[in-house]
Amino acid sequence: MSERIDFYTTVPAGMKALAGVSSYVTQSGLPHEIIELVFLRVSQINGCAYCIDMHTKALHKDGMPWDKIVLTQVWREAGHWFSTREQAALAWAESLTLIAQTNAPDEVFAQAQAEFSDREIADLTITIGLMNAYNRLAIGLRKLPDSAPRG
């Protein structure tokens, strides 16, 4: 598989706009670890190798144990690896990423409300939407993980 279009060089203004949203998210006050966990989980659901590679490495670099990173995909069955706050964020991320199937159910929103303020939920929702946008760019245009062997 080869890259279809290098979106960073083809549409720099569009990527700059997404980077602005990314900057907003990182400065929103949401914990960095939750942002990265959400980025990873959304990317796992969407099957984005480029983003999974990037956010797995970011979490590990920030000190998250490999066991927790590996268990992100099955966080519900992972015992006490994930706090109730992380679980609420991951449930909301899954619900919105799979919105055509889930329709963002009230019980998942209530779980988020139990752990986050309204502002944090809105910021978390922006975070989820941002990663879904990045995933669609990377998957659709075949962006390879930085660690992928080049042939």
Side-chain angles (χ1 to χ4, degrees):
M1 180 172 66
S2 61
E3 191 170 306
R4 291 176 170 165
I5 297 170
D6 180 349
F7 46 85
Y8 286 104
T9 58
T10 305
V11 289
M15 297 313 296
K16 185 177 179 181
L18 282 176
V21 177
S22 183
S23 179
Y24 171 80
V25 165
T26 60
Q27 296 172 26
S28 69
L30 288 173
H32 179 72
E33 187 171 282
I34 286 181
I35 292 169
E36 286 293 334
L37 278 172
V38 164
F39 283 169
L40 176 58
R41 185 65 192 118
V42 168
S43 299
Q44 289 171 334
I45 292 166
N46 288 324
C48 183
Y50 176 76
C51 297
I52 290 169
D53 181 62
M54 179 189 312
H55 297 293
T56 297
K57 288 175 180 172
L59 284 164
H60 186 65
K61 181 181 175 193
D62 290 344
M64 184 176 285
W66 278 117
D67 292 339
K68 185 172 182 176
I69 294 168
V70 169
L71 292 171
T72 302
Q73 188 165 349
V74 291
W75 61 269
R76 285 181 179 85
E77 295 83 30
H80 297 290
W81 274 108
F82 298 89
S83 69
T84 55
R85 192 163 160 89
E86 290 168 337
Q87 290 175 32
L90 291 168
W92 189 238
E94 288 180 358
S95 178
L96 294 184
T97 300
L98 300 168
I99 199 154
Q101 294 134 345
T102 68
N103 200 30
D106 291 340
E107 52 276 7
V108 178
F109 182 71
Q111 183 182 0
Q113 279 189 307
E115 296 294 330
F116 296 96
S117 69
D118 287 352
R119 166 135 191 186
E120 289 172 320
I121 292 170
D123 286 338
L124 190 57
T125 303
I126 291 168
T127 302
I128 295 160
L130 173 66
M131 187 48 44
N132 274 286
Y134 276 128
N135 287 169
R136 277 140 183 82
L137 277 165
I139 295 167
L141 301 178
R142 304 288 191 255
K143 180 77 173 155
L144 295 174
D146 290 337
S147 64
R150 307 292 183 205

